[in-house]
Amino acid sequence: MEIPKTYSPKDFEDDIYKDWEAQELFNPDKIKPRRKEHFSIVLPPPNVTGTLHLGHASMLAIEDLFVRYKRMQGFDTAWIPGTDHAAIATQNVVEKKLWKEEGKTRHDLGRERFLERVEAYVEDSKNIIHNQIRKMGASLDWSREAYTLDETRARAVRKVFKMMYDDGLIYRGYRIVNWCPRCKTTLADDEVDYKEQSAKLYTFKYDKNFPFAIATTRPETKLGDAAVAVNPNDERYQEYIGQIFDVNFCGVDLKIKIIADDAVESEFGTGALGVTPAHSAVDFDMAQKNNLEIIKVIDEDAKMTDKAGKFAGMSVEEAREKISAELEKNGLLEKTEELINNLSVCYRCKSAIEPLTSDQWFINVNKKFKVRGSEMKKSAGKEASLKELSLSVVKDKNINIIPERFEKTYFHWMENLRDWCISRQLWFGHQIPVWYCEDCAEYVVTELSATELFVMRHGEAKNNVLDQLNSDIENQINGLTEKGKEQVEAVFEKLKNEKIGAIYCSDFRRTKETAAIINEKLNLPIIEDPRLREVGVGEFEGKHDAELAAFRQNNFAQWQNDNPHGIESFESLKTRVFACLEEIAEKFPGQKVLIITHGDVCRIVQGFRKNIADEKLFKMDYPLTGEYLHLKFAPIKCKCGSQNLKQDEDTLDTWFSAGLWTFSTLLEKDFETFDKKENPLLKRFHPTTVLETGYDILFFWVARMILMTTYATGEVPFENVYLHGLIRDKEGDKMSKSKPETAIDPLDAGRKYGFDAVRLSLLIGNTAGNDIRLYDEKIEGYRNFVNKLWNISRFILMEQGGRDKQASEISELSKTLADRWIISRFNKLIREVTKLLDEYNFSSAGELLREFTWNDFADWYLEISKVEQNKEEMLKYIFKNLLKLWHPFVPFVTETIWKQMNPKEKSLMISEWPEFAEKAIDENSEKEFESVKELIIKIRNVRSENKVQPAKKIRISIISDNENLIKEQRENITALSRAEVLTFTRQEQEKFIKDFVPMGEIYFYMTDLIDPEKEKERIEKEKNNLENYISGMEKKLSNDEFVNNAPRPVVEGERQKLAEAREKLEKILEQLGALK
RNA sequence: GGGCAAUUAGCUCAGCUGGUUAGAGCGCUGCAUUCACAUUGCAGAGGUCACAGGUUCGAGUCCUGUAUUGCCCACCA
């Protein structure tokens, strides 16, 4: 067999992955589990905007390791992939792209068109990241891929929203929120970052009549002040507490109440704080407590509002300048000073956050509700708030966080959690499932999705080309032209991802043909409805379109309710079309329906359920051939009976849908409830076993999942949380594009060193909760190791023959001391690695494996096997099982080698995890072999010290207490140390003593060595070490307190060690004597 | 301001509930090239475990304090 000397990962990796996928080995339905217990992980969904970075790579390496390990152990194993729509991040990316490439804003396109752009972008992006994930070797079940914004997940989102609303946990309120004026949306508290900046602190009085000064960095907000707060213990202001002052601040009249609040620090500024309820979270709380007026002086564009008097319309910066100038001019400004403070900025775009009051949807985290699930009730009681429930499941260890210290962080965050603002003023995301009635003040919350109608005109027909009106059902001879057919195909291209549930068309030939073309791909029932026919044209039949158009344009009033020249009246057309639409809406609530009809009908449709005057409606444009209309309707009625409802424009915080991820990914496509009876996958895999993610999103995501899932399902989302650290560069800094020389792209690194090496570099040395440094030399080292594995396999494959042995046949395999040694060591390795992996300590497991593979197996056993010969079966037994242990770490190279060794087997990844065999443990043989190793190393050492040419064989004599062992190992010692062993008895040796140099138990033939003095030095050194050691031990053992207090085995152990050391010393002294 | 972590060989890090003469990889030094592998082999040098106290028969490991570094949270009106 021709096997290259160097392993070339790129020649194998892609094919190996394709083979796994083709065999469907990632799908738990396609492989037989050998145990009942499940092991499941849902992939933390990467943002659709992203490309694979090291954070993902490390996440994938760790999770794939867990999953492959458990799969080999026979667990029913699922690893579910998906992507996150990442509302704000994705919208920002597409907006930037749109601006750069076309100079347009999202408003230029409008919601509908903009979202189409986003979806197109998302599609591309998803494919890129999925292929990158495959590169890493991740054994994800792609057949169950989810997306936070797909229909199943969307239904789960609406359902939970409604559940929470019905439980009174979701409410709409006018509250202070974090507003990003750039993104034009609210942000959750933890989506706000802080940036240090230097600011000016202004100390001033509102006006001349106000008794004392206040200090602020933002004078412009003071236009909205309703109070001044002081510390209740501050003596300076006691007399004013409770008083109300009418002031005129820069032309704006304000009523300022003096209130006392502990939050105020007397030492800061003047100890008096101007309270601006509308623009500071702390002040808003004070306003609630003290019933203060909320005056909003800054709007959503970060401009001053009408309430700001003459400053209205100015930017906040401009207003600040003007106000400070005016204060100074009027002698109200006492001083300005520089200070460093934290500016709150948007975590996505880094612009300054403007805290302001606004009408938003919130989740109440303190309100009690009826807890679901018996385990949850046990933890939190029958009734609990979201906060209490989320705290209790971690306190009671229903969820186990690794490393444990993050529990504290979690508790602290959860205990201080405030109501969660979930509405976002973005377009991309889950639209809030609330419908406002246009005819009364009510609104309706529904889990049903909007009924959506896609209304299109037929493609170009022959009568269009001839410019002949043709609406006589008896005379439908004209079908579509070639161009018409192409137009239809073009529309279908745009619609194909919409998951249309039904197709309606008129009974005209041109619409039926259009429907048939589209339905070639969709295979839906086509419903023909004559109510969707083109308007009846009466006497104009067969005439030019323009003639009819001109007539109707000029005689609308006449035609509105009547039928001059036999033209069907507008009223009649409207009535039949609306009746048809009403029926469709009722028949397909929450679904998408495609309607293929004619120009005038398209026009009319736009007025469905809307109060649009007939004439205005008649004059509306309708979509050109090749385009379509998209209309959304409420799937339910308002209490008042009106169906004229409009959905809330806002979308939900992306973490709302992400919070459902562990169970929403396991729901059936057409689920009605979250019940396990209805959702077999949920029953099989939920709660998931481990959630593996970075500690940096503990709050964003992990906490939210706990909160949302315990609420919605009455079950924890996961039993364990494994938090990994961040990947840093060699200096310990965050990798960033601004430092390209240290930033590593996992894909580049994979191409260069192989993805197995990249995985190892991310796994070994990586411990829970700790950051890890990565740099090229490290990956290179693991590349070298992978190559070592490869070359071990080359060696073993060259040793032909032998058959595979099982663990039960170990005794047959063990013929020599080296055999017993390696097999004992190896079985300990199996035991240790298994234990460490169960403890999530994969780094130590990897280190042990590396040590065994390189040091024990390659450096010693393989060398011995060249001497002892005929070890094919043993080598195969160890190596094949070793490949299994390695597989979760380095799946590609192990599978590649496995396939070469077992061409007939399906795959290493579904082979059985090695079992530890107790009977293989042989402590005595291990000890004996270690002493042989020691001898060999000593001989090599002496050779090296004396610069003996490697090719030169030296002669030695060994005087050992274990003469049999030396005799038996004579060949091994000779081969591995290039020394000829001449065994002497003590008496025999006496005769040669003058020619030999003693070194421990070994006597070297003097003329073979260059410098016996050197050896003397060495022995002296060893003697000193030993003497020091012995005196320390003696002291210890003569200490009664130690002997009495320390546990017996410890004392015994120490005695043993002392005895051994004394023996050793004795020999050394003897040899030293001989040297002199 | 509150909290968490880290500090062990030149570098990157192990060292579990206190009981070895403190380990690994890389790097370094010397030697070796047809025999699985130079992406290699063999041998070696290198550490008062940040500092100061304390607990204990015994401390890298536990406690207190100090210093340095990093991170998280709160907040700076």
Side-chain angles (χ1 to χ4, degrees):
Chain A
M1 204 188 302
E2 199 55 46
I3 308 169
K5 280 188 173 189
T6 311
Y7 174 60
S8 167
K10 61 178 188 303
D11 293 345
F12 301 97
E13 290 180 342
D14 286 349
D15 287 342
I16 290 279
Y17 195 91
K18 272 185 205 140
D19 181 53
W20 287 329
E21 264 199 296
Q23 291 196 64
E24 300 185 286
L25 299 178
F26 305 153
N27 184 340
D29 298 341
K30 308 286 174 172
I31 54 173
K32 268 186 243 124
R34 296 184 299 272
R35 298 189 190 204
K36 278 184 189 158
E37 307 99 295
H38 77 265
F39 181 86
S40 55
I41 299 186
V42 289
L43 180 75
N47 287 358
V48 279
T49 51
T51 49
L52 194 87
H53 57 67
L54 276 174
H56 296 127
S58 112
M59 165 183 90
L60 291 166
I62 295 170
E63 291 176 25
D64 195 46
L65 176 131
F66 291 165
V67 167
R68 284 179 187 271
Y69 167 58
K70 290 290 170 180
R71 193 186 285 124
M72 287 173 78
Q73 279 193 326
F75 284 80
D76 191 14
T77 305
W79 189 20
I80 310 287
T83 34
D84 189 352
H85 69 285
I88 189 166
T90 310
Q91 176 161 327
N92 279 354
V93 170
V94 178
E95 277 188 285
K96 253 184 218 157
K97 210 173 144 214
L98 191 64
W99 181 252
K100 205 176 149 197
E101 288 168 10
E102 299 172 40
K104 285 182 184 164
T105 68
R106 70 184 211 238
H107 300 281
D108 293 335
L109 289 187
R111 188 167 186 142
E112 197 84 10
R113 291 277 170 271
F114 178 72
L115 287 180
E116 280 170 15
R117 293 293 182 93
V118 178
E119 284 303 337
Y121 171 80
V122 163
E123 262 330 292
D124 289 348
S125 203
K126 255 194 210 170
N127 287 333
I128 292 171
I129 200 149
H130 286 164
N131 286 327
Q132 293 175 334
I133 289 173
R134 285 180 163 90
K135 283 274 177 193
M136 286 295 297
S139 58
L140 284 152
D141 183 2
W142 293 105
S143 73
R144 301 204 155 86
E145 190 195 330
Y147 172 44
T148 52
L149 204 59
D150 63 25
E151 188 49 28
T152 310
R153 264 47 67 179
R155 290 231 317 286
V157 162
R158 292 191 298 263
K159 191 166 186 65
V160 173
F161 187 99
K162 176 145 174 43
M163 282 165 78
M164 288 185 138
Y165 179 80
D166 291 344
D167 275 342
L169 299 181
I170 284 184
Y171 66 94
R172 191 168 171 80
Y174 187 69
R175 293 294 158 89
I176 188 138
V177 293
N178 307 300
W179 181 266
C180 173
R182 216 284 322 161
C183 299
K184 294 272 184 292
T185 182
T186 56
L187 294 169
D189 290 343
D190 49 353
E191 289 174 322
V192 177
D193 280 346
Y194 293 93
K195 204 172 80 184
E196 239 181 34
Q197 60 156 20
S198 65
K200 261 188 199 159
L201 183 71
Y202 303 85
T203 303
F204 60 89
K205 287 180 179 174
Y206 291 107
D207 66 10
K208 291 208 166 76
N209 300 324
F210 200 72
F212 52 86
I214 59 164
T216 183
T217 52
R218 298 199 57 190
E220 75 280 10
T221 64
K222 303 291 108 183
L223 294 163
D225 277 11
V228 165
V230 297
N231 191 288
N233 302 320
D234 196 328
E235 285 171 15
R236 290 173 290 180
Y237 305 115
Q238 286 300 323
E239 55 176 307
Y240 301 112
I241 294 173
Q243 288 187 36
I244 296 175
F245 293 86
D246 285 312
V247 302
N248 182 283
F249 177 57
C250 294
V252 175
D253 288 323
L254 298 170
K255 271 196 191 321
I256 304 291
K257 187 178 177 185
I258 313 299
I259 60 172
D261 198 295
D262 287 327
V264 182
E265 282 177 44
S266 306
E267 290 73 33
F268 190 93
T270 60
L273 160 70
V275 179
T276 319
H279 300 288
S280 152
V282 182
D283 296 9
F284 184 83
D285 289 344
M286 289 188 204
Q288 300 268 297
K289 275 187 256 172
N290 293 283
N291 216 0
L292 301 173
E293 195 189 346
I294 296 166
I295 310 159
K296 189 166 165 181
V297 292
I298 298 168
D299 69 11
E300 281 73 3
D301 295 322
K303 294 264 164 62
M304 305 308 291
T305 66
D306 295 346
K307 296 275 172 63
K310 61 189 167 212
F311 305 102
M314 289 183 193
S315 72
V316 290
E317 292 81 9
E318 199 183 349
R320 189 179 309 158
E321 288 297 313
K322 291 265 160 61
I323 288 171
S324 76
E326 184 169 335
L327 288 171
E328 184 156 27
K329 196 181 80 191
N330 296 337
L332 294 165
L333 188 64
E334 288 183 4
K335 60 176 170 181
T336 62
E337 51 203 311
E338 292 287 325
L339 91 169
I340 305 289
N341 71 352
N342 274 333
L343 179 69
S344 46
V345 295
C346 171
Y347 82 136
R348 282 297 166 197
C349 73
K350 305 293 168 199
S351 1
I353 294 294
E354 206 52 72
L356 49 81
T357 46
S358 165
D359 243 328
Q360 301 292 339
W361 289 96
F362 294 86
I363 291 182
N364 187 332
V365 294
N366 291 308
K367 189 179 154 109
K368 293 198 191 251
F369 59 92
K370 282 197 181 125
V371 173
R372 294 171 183 82
S374 53
E375 282 294 315
M376 301 300 99
K377 283 178 193 159
K378 240 183 261 170
S379 272
K382 279 183 185 164
E383 292 209 341
S385 66
L386 289 169
K387 196 185 261 186
E388 288 164 344
L389 182 55
S390 305
L391 284 168
S392 71
V393 290
V394 177
K395 276 191 181 132
D396 291 355
K397 296 278 176 186
N398 292 340
I399 294 173
N400 177 34
I401 299 180
I402 308 162
E404 214 172 9
R405 68 183 137 91
F406 281 99
E407 279 186 5
K408 259 190 232 170
T409 324
Y410 171 82
F411 289 141
H412 182 256
W413 186 81
M414 196 53 94
E415 276 157 11
N416 293 294
L417 185 64
R418 310 207 296 180
D419 284 4
W420 171 16
C421 176
I422 50 170
S423 43
R424 297 286 177 276
Q425 289 61 50
L426 300 167
W427 285 351
F428 184 54
H430 295 277
Q431 205 170 341
I432 292 179
V434 173
W435 296 78
Y436 300 96
C437 182
E438 306 259 279
D439 298 317
C440 74
E442 286 290 324
Y443 61 81
V444 183
V445 177
T446 176
E447 64 190 75
L448 298 172
S449 63
T451 307
E452 290 181 53
L453 303 184
F454 296 88
V455 185
M456 64 180 280
R457 205 183 155 210
H458 54 80
E460 184 193 73
K462 283 171 195 142
N463 61 298
N464 297 132
V465 181
L466 297 169
D467 194 16
Q468 277 177 352
L469 287 170
N470 180 297
S471 71
D472 178 2
I473 189 69
E474 304 301 327
N475 183 24
Q476 286 296 317
I477 49 165
N478 296 322
L480 297 188
T481 61
E482 281 311 309
K483 187 180 163 196
K485 287 174 187 168
E486 281 166 24
Q487 288 166 338
V488 176
E489 295 281 359
V491 186
F492 178 71
E493 270 307 299
K494 294 181 195 165
L495 277 171
K496 65 179 177 190
N497 293 323
E498 291 290 354
K499 291 171 193 134
I500 304 288
I503 299 179
Y504 271 75
C505 66
S506 81
D507 54 354
F508 280 14
R509 180 161 174 184
R510 49 188 187 268
T511 52
K512 288 202 287 195
E513 281 190 14
T514 301
I517 292 172
I518 286 179
N519 209 30
E520 269 171 33
K521 311 244 168 60
L522 295 177
N523 270 320
L524 297 164
I526 294 180
I527 304 158
E528 283 178 35
D529 196 313
R531 288 175 293 186
L532 294 172
R533 280 181 196 171
E534 184 57 300
V535 64
V537 299
E539 293 166 14
F540 286 86
E541 179 68 20
K543 294 189 176 164
H544 295 306
D545 204 0
E547 290 179 37
L548 178 68
F551 178 83
R552 294 196 304 185
Q553 198 73 35
N554 298 330
N555 305 287
F556 183 77
Q558 193 190 345
W559 169 62
Q560 187 174 9
N561 294 303
D562 203 358
N563 41 2
H565 302 286
I567 306 172
E568 181 184 11
S569 74
F570 187 83
E571 188 57 36
S572 152
L573 175 66
K574 196 170 101 175
T575 308
R576 69 164 155 101
V577 170
F578 282 7
C580 179
L581 294 181
E582 204 63 65
E583 195 182 299
I584 294 172
E586 261 168 46
K587 241 169 138 177
F588 299 95
Q591 291 199 45
K592 294 180 177 177
V593 179
L594 175 63
I595 295 173
I596 298 160
T597 180
H598 307 266
D600 268 323
V601 179
C602 289
R603 177 177 283 151
I604 296 282
V605 158
Q606 300 173 80
F608 180 57
R609 285 189 182 172
K610 281 187 182 147
N611 296 320
I612 299 178
D614 283 356
E615 187 159 5
K616 201 176 161 198
L617 186 57
F618 167 66
K619 285 180 178 159
M620 278 172 92
D621 289 330
Y622 58 82
L624 302 167
T625 307
E627 295 288 328
Y628 60 87
L629 286 167
H630 184 198
L631 307 162
K632 289 183 179 181
F633 301 104
I636 47 166
K637 283 183 189 169
C638 175
K639 278 182 208 158
C640 73
S642 168
Q643 288 183 297
N644 188 12
L645 296 141
K646 203 172 167 235
Q647 189 168 7
D648 196 312
E649 294 271 319
D650 289 354
T651 50
L652 286 168
D653 182 357
T654 190
W655 299 107
F656 190 103
S657 54
L660 315 178
W661 191 241
T662 62
F663 72 93
S664 69
T665 48
L666 296 170
L667 293 170
E668 289 300 292
K669 215 174 162 224
D670 304 311
F671 78 94
E672 291 286 329
T673 67
F674 302 148
D675 200 306
K676 288 197 169 180
K677 280 180 208 137
E678 198 196 311
N679 297 284
L681 278 183
L682 203 60
K683 186 173 180 211
R684 193 165 153 201
F685 294 118
H686 204 266
T688 58
T689 319
V690 193
L691 178 86
E692 194 283 336
T693 191
Y695 65 74
D696 52 328
I697 55 170
L698 178 65
F699 304 138
F700 283 126
W701 192 43
V702 181
R704 250 82 183 238
M705 273 198 283
I706 296 175
L707 186 137
M708 299 295 275
T709 309
T710 49
Y711 166 78
T713 67
E715 208 170 62
V716 292
F718 29 71
E719 284 153 0
N720 300 285
V721 178
Y722 181 95
L723 295 169
H724 65 242
L726 269 46
I727 314 292
R728 299 178 172 279
D729 65 19
K730 200 170 184 178
E731 274 72 50
D733 297 328
K734 250 186 180 169
M735 285 195 193
S736 68
K737 281 169 196 156
S738 58
K739 267 177 82 183
E741 68 283 4
T742 60
I744 292 175
D745 171 13
L747 296 157
D748 283 348
R751 272 190 287 273
K752 201 165 161 198
Y753 302 111
F755 284 90
D756 283 328
V758 173
R759 287 170 64 117
L760 273 186
S761 70
L762 293 167
L763 289 170
I764 297 184
N766 192 346
T767 50
N770 293 322
D771 294 350
I772 176 177
R773 297 184 191 199
L774 190 68
Y775 38 87
D776 270 69
E777 298 92 302
K778 209 172 193 172
I779 311 175
E780 215 174 284
Y782 291 112
R783 187 266 322 262
N784 295 353
F785 173 75
V786 168
N787 192 56
K788 186 80 185 179
L789 262 185
W790 175 257
N791 275 293
I792 294 173
S793 84
R794 283 186 74 211
F795 176 76
I796 292 174
L797 280 163
M798 282 163 66
E799 308 263 307
Q800 298 289 340
R803 72 179 179 84
D804 283 353
K805 297 267 177 175
Q806 301 304 312
S808 57
E809 299 168 286
I810 283 168
S811 43
E812 272 175 60
L813 287 171
S814 304
K815 290 170 186 136
T816 68
L817 177 67
D819 293 342
R820 292 192 294 278
W821 166 75
I822 194 74
I823 213 158
S824 181
R825 295 274 299 158
F826 181 61
N827 272 278
K828 278 185 180 171
L829 179 76
I830 295 174
R831 186 177 60 191
E832 288 307 304
V833 167
T834 306
K835 182 172 158 268
L836 287 166
L837 289 181
D838 283 336
E839 291 165 354
Y840 300 99
N841 192 350
F842 46 85
S843 175
S844 298
E847 275 175 58
L848 281 188
L849 276 167
R850 185 190 191 283
E851 198 183 306
F852 176 87
T853 308
W854 206 316
N855 302 342
D856 291 345
F857 192 57
D859 289 346
W860 285 98
Y861 191 73
L862 254 49
E863 292 308 317
I864 295 271
S865 80
K866 292 174 189 169
V867 182
E868 294 186 352
Q869 304 274 322
N870 300 322
K871 296 224 175 280
E872 299 82 10
E873 292 184 341
M874 184 63 139
L875 287 169
K876 268 194 185 174
Y877 165 77
I878 302 272
F879 191 57
K880 282 175 120 181
N881 282 297
L882 188 59
L883 285 176
K884 290 182 182 182
L885 298 180
W886 269 119
H887 181 71
F889 292 84
V890 281
F892 291 118
V893 68
T894 48
E895 183 78 84
T896 305
I897 296 171
W898 184 263
K899 281 204 158 24
Q900 289 173 356
M901 295 180 83
N902 312 280
K904 282 176 195 161
E905 279 184 46
K906 268 180 109 174
S907 167
L908 172 61
M909 68 166 278
I910 50 164
S911 68
E912 276 185 55
W913 188 253
E915 283 283 328
F916 164 68
E918 181 71 54
K919 66 172 177 182
I921 302 301
D922 184 342
E923 298 290 354
N924 202 44
S925 294
E926 279 195 46
K927 218 170 169 186
E928 280 194 343
F929 190 79
E930 288 303 327
S931 72
V932 174
K933 267 172 73 181
E934 233 171 82
L935 268 178
I936 293 169
I937 288 169
K938 217 169 249 175
I939 300 165
R940 286 170 173 172
N941 181 0
V942 170
R943 292 183 62 117
S944 174
E945 284 282 299
N946 288 286
K947 304 210 189 310
V948 179
Q949 285 301 305
K952 188 183 170 191
K953 211 166 202 178
I954 56 169
R955 286 160 292 174
I956 58 169
S957 165
I958 301 169
I959 304 298
S960 170
D961 296 336
N962 198 342
E963 269 182 41
N964 289 336
L965 179 68
I966 302 304
K967 265 184 199 154
E968 183 200 299
Q969 294 299 314
R970 189 175 181 153
E971 263 190 85
N972 284 337
I973 296 170
T974 302
L976 269 56
S977 65
R978 310 261 330 134
E980 192 179 350
V981 185
L982 317 161
T983 330
F984 297 107
T985 61
R986 252 165 222 276
Q987 281 93 353
E988 280 177 318
Q989 205 231 342
E990 289 293 319
K991 291 188 267 177
F992 298 95
I993 197 80
K994 58 181 191 322
D995 300 325
F996 278 79
V997 185
M999 175 63 201
E1001 300 172 292
I1002 313 156
Y1003 286 70
F1004 293 86
Y1005 200 68
M1006 210 179 311
T1007 51
D1008 286 346
L1009 302 180
I1010 294 158
D1011 189 3
E1013 277 305 308
K1014 213 171 215 162
E1015 294 317 304
K1016 205 168 135 188
E1017 245 171 69
R1018 283 180 63 91
I1019 298 173
E1020 288 280 4
K1021 203 173 153 195
E1022 198 177 341
K1023 190 192 99 184
N1024 287 337
N1025 282 345
L1026 263 175
E1027 279 169 351
N1028 287 338
Y1029 180 60
I1030 288 169
S1031 73
M1033 282 302 237
E1034 280 170 345
K1035 212 170 143 194
K1036 197 175 191 180
L1037 281 163
S1038 61
N1039 183 343
D1040 287 344
E1041 295 200 83
F1042 170 70
V1043 178
N1044 297 333
N1045 291 325
R1048 286 245 335 243
V1050 173
V1051 179
E1052 280 309 309
E1054 301 294 279
R1055 285 209 172 111
Q1056 181 87 24
K1057 274 185 238 159
L1058 177 61
E1060 276 165 20
R1062 276 179 175 150
E1063 221 174 285
K1064 222 171 173 180
L1065 181 66
E1066 212 171 290
K1067 279 182 195 162
I1068 282 179
L1069 287 173
E1070 193 182 306
Q1071 288 143 18
L1072 211 52
L1075 255 181
K1076 280 168 185 165

